[in-house]
Amino acid sequence: MFEPIEYADANDDVRAVFDAIKSTRDIPDVNNFWKYLANDPATLKRTWESLAQVMAPGALDPLVKEMIYIAISMSNNCEYCIKSHSASARKQGMSDDMLKELMAVVGMANETNALVNAYRVEVDAALR
Amino acid sequence: MFEPIEYADANDDVRAVFDAIKSTRDIPDVNNFWKYLANDPATLKRTWESLAQVMAPGALDPLVKEMIYIAISMSNNCEYCIKSHSASARKQGMSDDMLKELMAVVGMANETNALVNAYRVEVDAALR
Amino acid sequence: MFEPIEYADANDDVRAVFDAIKSTRDIPDVNNFWKYLANDPATLKRTWESLAQVMAPGALDPLVKEMIYIAISMSNNCEYCIKSHSASARKQGMSDDMLKELMAVVGMANETNALVNAYRVEVDAALR
Amino acid sequence: MFEPIEYADANDDVRAVFDAIKSTRDIPDVNNFWKYLANDPATLKRTWESLAQVMAPGALDPLVKEMIYIAISMSNNCEYCIKSHSASARKQGMSDDMLKELMAVVGMANETNALVNAYRVEVDAALR
Amino acid sequence: MFEPIEYADANDDVRAVFDAIKSTRDIPDVNNFWKYLANDPATLKRTWESLAQVMAPGALDPLVKEMIYIAISMSNNCEYCIKSHSASARKQGMSDDMLKELMAVVGMANETNALVNAYRVEVDAALR
Amino acid sequence: MFEPIEYADANDDVRAVFDAIKSTRDIPDVNNFWKYLANDPATLKRTWESLAQVMAPGALDPLVKEMIYIAISMSNNCEYCIKSHSASARKQGMSDDMLKELMAVVGMANETNALVNAYRVEVDAALR
């Protein structure tokens, strides 16, 4: 449907975002996600700026945010998202043991979410 | 379909699990989730033991695990799960600002997961 | 958005479907699902005929089909669907114990589906 | 599990549906979707007839219907469905720019759906 | 977890966004969605600006965008999202018949997405 | 991210679970699912024991349980899960016709779940 757009073939708006991603992350080239979004420069720019805002350090550590991101992507079965954010989390210090525990929680949360739906569990008065 | 089972009406197997939950969490009564599962004592016992294993401190902090749990539950729209695990995370120190940032990540992850699916983004060679 | 349409207020096309549902199921009135679909008579007719075909006895017992239906509805968290098809399954002989085991499978399947996604398990050569 | 069934190997019931699809769409052969469904001739026939009814021109333009179809398929991450309905929408005049905007809406809708779930937003009195 | 924030209780950043929403949409007050997001002013501002960009007229008519939005929200079962965007689409001219056809497509797309997954339909060479 | 662990490379805890799976199922080697989970021996053991408990004969026939499992996996689009549990169900007597009917139910359930969400069908008083 759409092909990834390389830096050499990109217009100035796209190059400006690519440059921002590369300098922020200190990487020589951007991932395919950005090259596909480059087909729609407005969405590229908005998504990069939103992501930069959302994933920035704040009350939560950036690594914790990456792990939440990975968990959602596993639950949604988005292979690309799992792999790209796992690579990013690795750089920020996620160990194998941390990833394994994360995966166990993802599995368990999906099981208990399903059990809650199945039993139609009513919210406790104390939790409302 | 099934009604929650109170301690007073529970059999010995169920009471043993309820007692374990109450003492582990230092609470006077268990949440509705457990009272519904009590209709199926084998599932009650297995779920409690699995959850205790998965959510225990390890390479990840228990609060990080709770937040991953909440994030999955928000993405799956399981109201009960969001509320019960948020209550638990609050006790372990989750602030309003932490929860807000978590929610922003959940929203963003669902958006970019959808964009990846929409553009059929291929996994970068470096991420394989 | 749309209100349920009662038999007394329905046009002839809708009444014909309502009559078919009532006589097939030997019930005095149709469920709300059909009364809402009655806002769109073509969808009402098509859905009823499709459902009658799909749920009819064949290689699978109708009760097994109902239980598969309930399982999907629990996994999708469709409260109405769970309740209406559970009522139907009960009439066909589903016991409490059968329902509890069904729910345990739904929970477990969602957990292992998530684990497979998380670990990116490759399909075994023998399973291809 | 099942292999696609080619016209030459199909029985008369299947051929009748294949012929209807080919003449309606003015194409020399049907897509794989139909060849797989041909393993179950009743489902093949029902699905084709339902689809023809649902996607026909009415209050909505067929292209708008195709785009809604694509959007659902992107949100559900059904690659086959995205590709086959995009091909169909292209024939009906969907431009690259239309597709990009559609994808931006799919991404945004999934984000705000998740935010609504996360914040447990109550329905406004005026919207009930 | 969080309560909606009314204009009278909002800080200047939040009021600026509320004012922008009210003047853009020519409404006396913003919906609950925005009042909940007001707990996180950065997310409020980013979401409003993103939504304004994504939903603006372009290659697709704003009403078509609203209908795609509604379709995703129905498929995800987000009640609030369905109701708020249906209200908005109504204002832009969506008739009952248009909404009914939209819903029929949503149902059908979810069925065929599931059938494609079930049969593991391979992408046709011509669609790649 | 993680590679499958073969028996020859496994530690004693993992081998004990692999041996249990092989003897219970009377197979010469375990599937990839277990080899990936072997990276996390506690999750491997817990998942095997849970699955053995949940899938055991009880009020429901093991084949019915396998079919419910497959149905959930189709609805969630977990290819590995569909294929591995279909292989297992085949061994227990699932015929082609049973599988086709199962798939038709999965499709139909997803359609009607979506229609219920779309129409916001209220639960009938008699079903509450």
Side-chain angles (χ1 to χ4, degrees), chain B residues 61-92:
Chain B
D61 191 77
L63 176 53
V64 170
K65 292 186 175 181
E66 284 291 351
M67 289 194 296
I68 290 170
Y69 217 109
I70 294 168
I72 299 288
S73 304
M74 287 171 166
S75 183
N76 285 345
N77 195 14
C78 179
E79 182 181 11
Y80 185 85
C81 314
I82 297 170
K83 290 193 171 162
S84 57
H85 285 272
S86 293
S88 172
R90 292 283 194 191
K91 278 193 200 161
Q92 295 177 56

Side-chain angles (χ1 to χ4, degrees), chain A residues 42-108:
Chain A
T43 296
L44 172 70
K45 184 170 189 292
R46 177 176 60 76
T47 305
W48 164 247
E49 289 172 355
S50 293
L51 210 61
Q53 178 190 307
V54 169
M55 301 305 278
L60 291 180
D61 190 76
L63 177 52
V64 170
K65 291 186 176 183
E66 284 291 351
M67 291 194 296
I68 290 170
Y69 218 108
I70 295 168
I72 298 287
S73 304
M74 287 172 166
S75 183
N76 284 347
N77 193 16
C78 179
E79 182 183 9
Y80 185 85
C81 314
I82 296 170
K83 290 193 172 162
S84 57
H85 285 273
S86 293
S88 172
R90 292 282 194 191
K91 279 194 201 162
Q92 295 178 55
M94 181 177 69
S95 67
D96 273 10
D97 282 346
M98 291 164 78
L99 180 55
K100 287 175 204 170
E101 293 191 8
L102 181 163
M103 295 193 288
V105 175
V106 170
M108 201 68 211

Side-chain angles (χ1 to χ4, degrees), chain B residues 3-76:
Chain B
E3 296 299 317
I5 293 178
E6 300 294 334
Y7 192 91
D9 307 316
N11 69 22
D12 286 352
D13 287 347
V14 167
R15 284 189 179 184
V17 178
F18 280 14
D19 285 336
I21 298 172
K22 291 195 287 185
S23 74
T24 302
R25 300 195 166 167
D26 192 20
I27 47 177
D29 194 11
V30 302
N31 280 351
N32 273 346
F33 178 58
W34 306 110
K35 294 180 185 175
Y36 277 82
L37 286 191
N39 287 286
D40 183 356
T43 295
L44 172 70
K45 183 169 188 295
R46 176 176 59 78
T47 305
W48 164 247
E49 289 172 355
S50 293
L51 210 61
Q53 178 191 308
V54 168
M55 301 305 277
L60 292 179
D61 191 77
L63 176 53
V64 170
K65 292 186 175 181
E66 284 291 351
M67 289 194 296
I68 290 170
Y69 217 109
I70 294 168
I72 299 288
S73 304
M74 287 171 166
S75 183
N76 285 345

Side-chain angles (χ1 to χ4, degrees), chain F residues 42-98:
Chain F
T43 296
L44 173 69
K45 183 170 190 293
R46 176 176 59 77
T47 305
W48 164 248
E49 289 172 356
S50 293
L51 210 61
Q53 178 190 308
V54 168
M55 302 304 278
L60 292 179
D61 190 77
L63 177 53
V64 171
K65 292 186 175 182
E66 284 291 351
M67 290 193 296
I68 291 170
Y69 216 108
I70 295 168
I72 298 289
S73 304
M74 287 172 166
S75 183
N76 285 347
N77 194 16
C78 179
E79 181 183 10
Y80 185 86
C81 315
I82 296 170
K83 289 192 173 162
S84 57
H85 285 273
S86 292
S88 171
R90 292 282 193 191
K91 279 193 201 160
Q92 295 177 56
M94 181 177 69
S95 67
D96 273 10
D97 282 345
M98 291 164 79

Side-chain angles (χ1 to χ4, degrees), chain D residues 42-87:
Chain D
T43 296
L44 173 70
K45 184 170 189 292
R46 176 177 59 77
T47 305
W48 164 248
E49 289 172 355
S50 292
L51 210 61
Q53 178 190 307
V54 169
M55 302 305 278
L60 292 179
D61 190 77
L63 177 53
V64 170
K65 291 187 176 181
E66 284 291 352
M67 290 193 296
I68 290 170
Y69 217 108
I70 294 167
I72 298 288
S73 304
M74 287 171 167
S75 182
N76 285 347
N77 194 16
C78 178
E79 181 182 11
Y80 185 87
C81 315
I82 296 170
K83 289 193 172 161
S84 57
H85 285 273
S86 292

Side-chain angles (χ1 to χ4, degrees), chain D residues 1 32 40 46 51 58-60 65 69 71-73 76 80-81 101 108 110-113 118-119 122 124, chain E residues 1 32 40 46 51 58-60 65 69 71-73 76 80-81 101 108 110-113 118-119 122 124:
Chain D
M1 316 215 299
N32 273 347
D40 183 357
R46 176 177 59 77
L51 210 61
L60 292 179
K65 291 187 176 181
Y69 217 108
I72 298 288
S73 304
N76 285 347
Y80 185 87
C81 315
E101 294 192 6
M108 201 69 213
N110 276 287
E111 179 175 17
T112 54
N113 279 203
Y119 276 97
E122 277 188 52
D124 301 77
Chain E
M1 318 214 301
N32 273 347
D40 183 355
R46 177 176 59 79
L51 210 61
L60 292 179
K65 291 187 176 182
Y69 218 109
I72 298 289
S73 304
N76 285 345
Y80 185 86
C81 314
E101 293 192 7
M108 202 68 213
N110 276 288
E111 178 176 18
T112 55
N113 279 203
Y119 276 97
E122 277 188 51
D124 301 72

Side-chain angles (χ1 to χ4, degrees), chain E residues 34-106:
Chain E
W34 306 109
K35 294 180 183 174
Y36 278 82
L37 286 192
N39 287 285
D40 183 355
T43 295
L44 172 70
K45 184 169 187 292
R46 177 176 59 79
T47 304
W48 164 247
E49 289 172 355
S50 293
L51 210 61
Q53 178 190 308
V54 169
M55 302 305 277
L60 292 179
D61 191 77
L63 176 53
V64 171
K65 291 187 176 182
E66 284 292 352
M67 291 194 295
I68 291 170
Y69 218 109
I70 294 168
I72 298 289
S73 304
M74 286 170 166
S75 183
N76 285 345
N77 195 15
C78 178
E79 182 182 11
Y80 185 86
C81 314
I82 297 169
K83 290 192 172 162
S84 56
H85 285 272
S86 293
S88 172
R90 292 282 194 191
K91 278 193 201 161
Q92 295 178 54
M94 182 177 69
S95 68
D96 273 10
D97 283 345
M98 293 165 77
L99 180 55
K100 287 175 203 170
E101 293 192 7
L102 182 162
M103 296 193 289
V105 176
V106 171

Side-chain angles (χ1 to χ4, degrees), chain C residues 26-46:
Chain C
D26 193 21
I27 47 177
D29 194 12
V30 302
N31 279 351
N32 273 347
F33 178 58
W34 306 110
K35 294 179 184 175
Y36 278 82
L37 286 192
N39 287 286
D40 183 357
T43 295
L44 172 70
K45 183 169 189 293
R46 176 176 60 76

